[in-house]
Amino acid sequence: MFIKNDTITLRCAEPQDAELIYAWENDRDVWRVSGTHAPYSRFQIEQFLLSDNDLQANKQLRLMIGLTESGNTIGCIDIYDYDAVNERASVGILIDKAHRRQGYAKAALALCIEYLFQDVLLHQVYCCIDETNTESQQLFLGQGFELCGRRKEWIKTPDGFIDELEYQKMKD
């Protein structure tokens, strides 16, 4: 599966992505954002990549973000908590540190939202962001998401608890 524009290509994760995903999933700097509490083995990553990456069957889908011109993979978007009955899903995005603050997250998220509303036929998309992650908050607000909830003291950090904010975007 390829979804692309002039800048970004979204494609399903494949076995050759194992090393990149292994590095990203084991980066402790992003664990709080991803809800991870323990490292993943290469074997676990490889098994995930060999499994059926099917939104309908598994209620989740990982799309790799590539640069259209070079083909270089620079991140991923996870679509999860897919609910076909209520026509909604949650999204999360990761851009490799070397490619952040260049507009790629904005382009990839826009392409993903277009796919979810036009092809998957969702009614709404949502995300959860910790209150200290202002860059992600701005990214999603810039794509038309609205703040719809706050979970008080939801995420434990070494410095204490912080709130989690929920944003959603409805299909126009």
Side-chain angles (χ1 to χ4, degrees), residues 134-152:
T134 56
E135 288 185 57
S136 284
Q137 293 170 37
Q138 292 306 310
L139 169 67
F140 283 89
L141 286 168
Q143 292 296 313
F145 283 70
E146 295 179 6
L147 178 64
C148 64
R150 175 184 293 266
R151 293 181 179 104
K152 300 267 188 195

Side-chain angles (χ1 to χ4, degrees), residues 19-153:
E19 280 304 311
L20 270 177
I21 294 172
Y22 177 76
W24 293 332
E25 292 289 354
N26 289 299
D27 181 350
R28 291 175 67 194
D29 291 339
V30 296
W31 279 7
R32 185 171 78 206
V33 195
S34 66
T36 302
H37 301 287
Y40 286 92
S41 70
R42 278 187 179 80
F43 179 76
Q44 288 171 306
I45 299 294
E46 289 166 358
Q47 291 301 302
F48 166 76
L49 292 171
L50 292 172
S51 69
D52 188 18
N53 194 18
D54 183 278
L55 186 58
Q56 300 291 328
N58 298 326
K59 311 297 183 213
Q60 67 180 18
L61 173 66
R62 174 160 287 180
L63 297 175
M64 303 305 287
I65 303 167
L67 299 176
T68 300
E69 189 173 304
S70 69
N72 292 338
T73 302
I74 61 163
C76 59
I77 291 185
D78 286 331
I79 302 162
Y80 59 99
D81 290 342
Y82 171 69
D83 181 339
V85 171
N86 294 298
E87 300 175 359
R88 66 176 175 241
S90 186
V91 300
I93 186 167
L94 178 135
I95 300 292
D96 189 76
K97 290 177 184 176
H99 294 91
R100 292 180 186 162
R101 296 178 188 85
Q102 298 177 47
Y104 298 133
K106 179 180 178 180
L109 184 58
L111 205 55
C112 181
I113 292 167
E114 178 183 323
Y115 162 69
L116 291 172
F117 285 157
Q118 291 183 13
D119 297 309
V120 182
L121 303 175
L122 293 184
H123 172 66
Q124 64 179 292
V125 180
Y126 65 97
C127 66
C128 298
I129 304 170
D130 82 52
E131 68 181 335
T132 67
N133 191 345
T134 56
E135 288 185 57
S136 284
Q137 293 170 37
Q138 292 306 310
L139 169 67
F140 283 89
L141 286 168
Q143 292 296 313
F145 283 70
E146 295 179 6
L147 178 64
C148 64
R150 175 184 293 266
R151 293 181 179 104
K152 300 267 188 195
E153 299 183 9

